[in-house]
């Protein structure tokens, strides 16, 4: 059951330096609800190979917030679970795994250009997609793991059945699986429709994930609500047969919250669809009013999320003159699907700028803090989350 149509969209990380190419090749992005599992997914699902290749432009370690989060989490997991063997699915540039000194530290990262950034010998990197074949290969080489971690990766893989069957292959009987992904509840509450793009095939709720895991004899025993990526959940999961671990009260609490918000009812998503249309109308008005006053607006943080917003709202370089971003791979390329160029972020990028659209709104605090000098001088930030406004 479709509840949202975000119009013609490009692949969100398909950066090119050719303007004509940037505007070509779009598909219609719609989002649907599946009653059986209460699962939200985009309708057109691309194969991993098309999205994650040796030109992937996303590096986890570029944000201070993320570096600190991964470091703190690694410390906590070491203290709590003392893992001897750790596996990370979607390890990006090794920002999380580098904090471990376990006997065996294995990372899976199919984007070769990103995996190649990992220079630490202690990390065994497998440059492949996560599937049964790879799980078997890893098991044969390293045995089973007592800790498996995966952040913002599982929701990017089309076949969830294969994902969890493969995990079951390599997770020891008393092993812990920790996954974190954007929270559907936060997405719906914040009208952050830009969580939807081709890579985010699913946005999980606790209730949907519980149903999917049950089929694989896996069980969530703890949930942590996080601020990262615009509101995420960290799920601690065990094999159902492992009765040594008690179910934490956070599972029930989060379930109650989701049911109270009616995440198990289609009407909730229909209402969200209406809210998204209203958000678009208001953001367009806000931006056009500023442009009518002949003020400059640039974008800050060329996120995959801003690709959804720019394409859905139809913004071009007349409205958002250009974006600034710290990622070297995005420099001097067009924001996918648009004629808006991404420039390299410099310390004085915001000098003489009137307004900044916050593409990386999920790093609002980090960015506003970094740019406080300009804000004091009158620079204004615009966001659309939870509703379009000047901050
Ligand atoms: P993400 O929302 O998918 O994590 O992407 C964040 C993007 O924002 C990434 O391209 C890097 C960029 N960025 C900056 O350019 N400057 C910053 O200060 C931060 C935090 C992120």
């Amino acid at each position: 059951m479709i509840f949202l149509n975000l119009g013609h969209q490009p692949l969100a990380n398909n950066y090119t330096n050719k303007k004509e190419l940037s505007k070509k090749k779009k598909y219609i992005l719609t989002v649907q609800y599946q009653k059986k599992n209460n699962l939200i997914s985009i309708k057109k699902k691309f194969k991993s190979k098309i999205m994650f290749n040796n030109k992937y432009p996303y590096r986890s370690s570029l944000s201070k917030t993320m570096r600190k989060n991964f470091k703190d989490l690694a410390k906590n997991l070491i203290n709590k679970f003392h893992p001897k063997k750790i596996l990370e699915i979607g390890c990006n540039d090794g920002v999380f795994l580098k904090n471990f000194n376990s006997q065996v530290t294995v990372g899976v990262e199919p984007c070769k250009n990103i995996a190649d950034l990992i220079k630490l010998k202690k990390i065994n990197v497998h440059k492949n997609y996560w599937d049964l074949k790879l799980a078997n290969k890893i098991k044969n080489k390293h045995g089973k793991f007592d800790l498996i971690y995966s952040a913002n990766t599982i929701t990017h893989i089309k076949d969830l059945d294969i994902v969890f069957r493969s995990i079951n292959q390599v997770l020891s009987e008393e092993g812990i699986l920790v996954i974190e992904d954007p929270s559907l509840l936060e997405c719906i509450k914040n009208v952050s429709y830009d969580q939807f793009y081709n890579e985010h095939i699913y946005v999980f709720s606790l209730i949907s994930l519980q149903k999917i895991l049950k089929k694989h004899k896996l069980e969530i025993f703890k949930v942590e609500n996080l601020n990262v990526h615009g509101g995420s959940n960290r799920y601690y999961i065990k094999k159902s047969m492992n009765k040594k671990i008690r179910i934490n009260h956070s599972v029930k609490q989060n379930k109650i919250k989701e049911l109270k918000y009616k995440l198990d009812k289609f009407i909730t998503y229909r209402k969200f669809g209406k809210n998204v249309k209203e958000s678009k109308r208001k953001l367009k008005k806000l931006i056009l009013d500023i442009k009518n006053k002949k003020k400059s607006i640039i974008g800050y943080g060329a996120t995959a999320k801003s690709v959804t917003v720019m394409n859905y709202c139809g913004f071009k370089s007349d409205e958002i003159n250009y974006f600034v971003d710290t990622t070297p791979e995005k420099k001097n390329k067009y924001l996918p699907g648009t004629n808006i160029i991404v420039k390299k972020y410099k310390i004085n990028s915001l000098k003489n700028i009137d307004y900044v659209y916050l593409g990386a709104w999920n790093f609002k605090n980090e960015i506003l803090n970094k740019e406080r000098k300009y804000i004091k001088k009158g620079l204004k930030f615009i966001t659309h989350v939870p509703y379009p406004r000047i901050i």
Side-chain angles (χ1 to χ4, degrees):
M1 293 190 276
I2 291 175
F3 60 89
L4 180 61
N5 184 341
L6 293 167
H8 293 268
Q9 294 280 348
L11 295 183
N13 270 310
N14 211 5
Y15 281 84
T16 168
N17 46 16
K18 300 198 176 66
K19 200 190 273 183
E20 283 320 305
L21 269 186
S22 169
K23 285 188 277 174
K24 268 187 190 162
K25 279 199 184 166
K26 293 195 184 183
Y27 69 101
I28 293 180
L29 175 57
T30 52
V31 190
Q32 61 188 8
Y33 172 66
Q34 191 200 81
K35 198 173 168 199
K36 192 172 135 225
N37 285 332
N38 307 124
L39 185 63
I40 297 298
S41 66
I42 58 172
K43 185 149 194 273
K44 179 152 179 55
K45 300 176 179 67
F46 289 89
K47 286 193 180 131
S48 296
K49 252 193 258 176
I50 297 175
M51 302 185 282
F52 308 110
N53 45 44
N54 55 12
K55 287 199 189 114
Y56 195 63
Y58 185 76
R59 289 197 212 172
S60 304
S61 64
L62 287 183
S63 136
K64 201 169 140 189
T65 315
M66 294 311 286
R67 284 197 302 275
K68 187 177 177 309
N69 277 341
F70 284 126
K71 196 173 172 185
D72 291 349
L73 173 64
K75 214 167 133 188
N76 273 338
L77 292 175
I78 293 167
N79 286 340
K80 248 187 238 159
F81 303 114
H82 316 287
K84 291 192 179 69
K85 290 184 183 179
I86 170 151
L87 167 71
E88 185 180 7
I89 304 168
C91 67
N92 201 270
D93 53 10
V95 61
F96 172 70
L97 283 182
K98 72 175 185 190
N99 301 297
F100 286 84
N101 277 318
S102 305
Q103 273 169 22
V104 180
T105 307
V106 179
V108 171
E109 179 49 62
C111 301
K112 205 170 164 298
N113 64 317
I114 301 292
D116 284 344
L117 298 169
I118 305 172
K119 302 286 182 219
L120 291 172
K121 284 219 170 60
K122 65 175 181 183
I123 306 177
N124 284 279
V125 190
H126 290 261
K127 297 169 194 173
N128 296 91
Y129 299 98
W130 179 248
D131 58 14
L132 280 166
K133 194 173 153 205
L134 180 64
N136 272 322
K137 188 178 159 190
I138 290 178
K139 190 174 77 177
N140 289 338
K141 194 169 171 194
H142 306 284
K144 290 196 173 189
F145 290 79
D146 41 17
L147 180 63
I148 301 180
Y149 176 68
S150 187
N152 300 301
T153 301
I154 287 176
T155 50
H156 295 47
I157 310 175
K158 195 170 153 182
D159 195 334
L160 292 176
D161 211 41
I162 297 281
V163 166
F164 290 111
R165 275 171 62 198
S166 309
I167 286 175
N168 263 331
Q169 291 277 337
V170 291
L171 185 66
S172 68
E173 300 319 297
E174 292 186 3
I176 308 292
L177 164 68
V178 180
I179 65 178
E180 60 183 77
D181 283 288
S183 144
L184 181 66
L185 182 62
E186 290 307 309
C187 167
I188 300 288
K189 273 187 183 168
N190 290 320
V191 199
S192 49
Y193 59 90
D194 46 348
Q195 287 290 7
F196 297 107
Y197 51 90
N198 60 297
E199 289 176 20
H200 284 187
I201 296 177
Y202 304 99
V203 178
F204 287 151
S205 56
L206 164 69
I207 54 171
S208 63
L209 192 57
Q210 274 181 323
K211 288 188 176 170
I212 294 162
L213 291 171
K214 197 170 176 195
K215 200 175 143 198
H216 296 276
K217 299 193 170 49
L218 293 164
E219 190 178 21
I220 299 170
F221 65 88
K222 188 178 168 182
V223 185
E224 281 170 3
N225 306 125
L226 316 172
N227 284 328
V228 293
H229 289 301
S232 294
N233 282 339
R234 182 177 292 144
Y235 304 97
Y236 292 77
I237 298 159
K238 65 176 184 69
K239 289 198 169 173
S240 311
M241 53 182 261
N242 174 6
K243 302 290 178 203
K244 285 191 185 162
I245 298 176
R246 295 246 300 267
I247 310 293
N248 185 273
H249 59 90
S250 56
V251 178
K252 196 172 170 190
Q253 270 173 357
N254 275 276
K255 190 168 177 176
I256 291 172
K257 246 186 348 189
E258 291 190 353
L259 292 178
K260 207 171 155 199
Y261 213 84
K262 297 193 173 73
L263 290 194
D264 59 337
K265 301 276 186 295
F266 183 63
I267 190 170
T268 308
Y269 303 102
R270 262 218 319 248
K271 209 159 94 192
F272 172 73
K274 280 188 194 151
N275 291 344
V276 173
K277 278 190 194 159
E278 190 56 13
S279 173
K280 171 182 175 175
R281 192 188 65 76
K282 285 188 176 147
L283 183 64
K284 282 181 87 160
K285 186 174 181 311
L286 184 68
I287 300 271
L288 293 178
D289 284 351
I290 294 172
K291 289 316 282 188
N292 284 340
K293 290 181 197 145
K294 305 265 177 281
K295 301 281 185 194
S296 58
I297 311 178
I298 67 163
Y300 193 120
T303 55
K305 290 188 271 301
S306 32
V307 173
T308 295
V309 176
M310 295 296 117
N311 282 281
Y312 178 53
C313 296
F315 292 137
K316 302 204 170 52
S317 57
D318 291 341
E319 288 89 30
I320 308 291
N321 304 139
Y322 56 87
F323 265 77
V324 289
D325 194 284
T326 49
T327 316
E329 286 81 357
K330 295 180 184 175
K331 185 181 138 187
N332 295 339
K333 299 209 173 126
Y334 289 94
L335 192 84
T338 73
N339 67 347
I340 305 172
I341 202 131
V342 182
K343 296 188 183 181
K344 184 178 164 40
Y345 172 83
K346 294 196 191 108
I347 194 82
N348 60 355
S349 281
L350 304 190
K351 203 174 160 190
N352 304 326
I353 301 288
D354 303 310
Y355 289 85
V356 176
Y357 167 72
L358 196 50
W361 56 265
N362 42 319
F363 293 111
K364 186 173 111 191
N365 294 344
E366 178 176 339
I367 293 171
L368 295 192
N369 188 31
K370 193 154 88 182
E371 309 300 348
R372 59 186 184 276
K373 182 177 112 189
Y374 292 109
I375 296 172
K376 268 191 198 142
K377 285 186 186 160
L379 174 78
K380 297 214 160 48
F381 275 85
I382 301 164
T383 185
H384 69 281
V385 179
Y387 57 89
R389 68 204 157 101
I390 295 166
I391 300 174

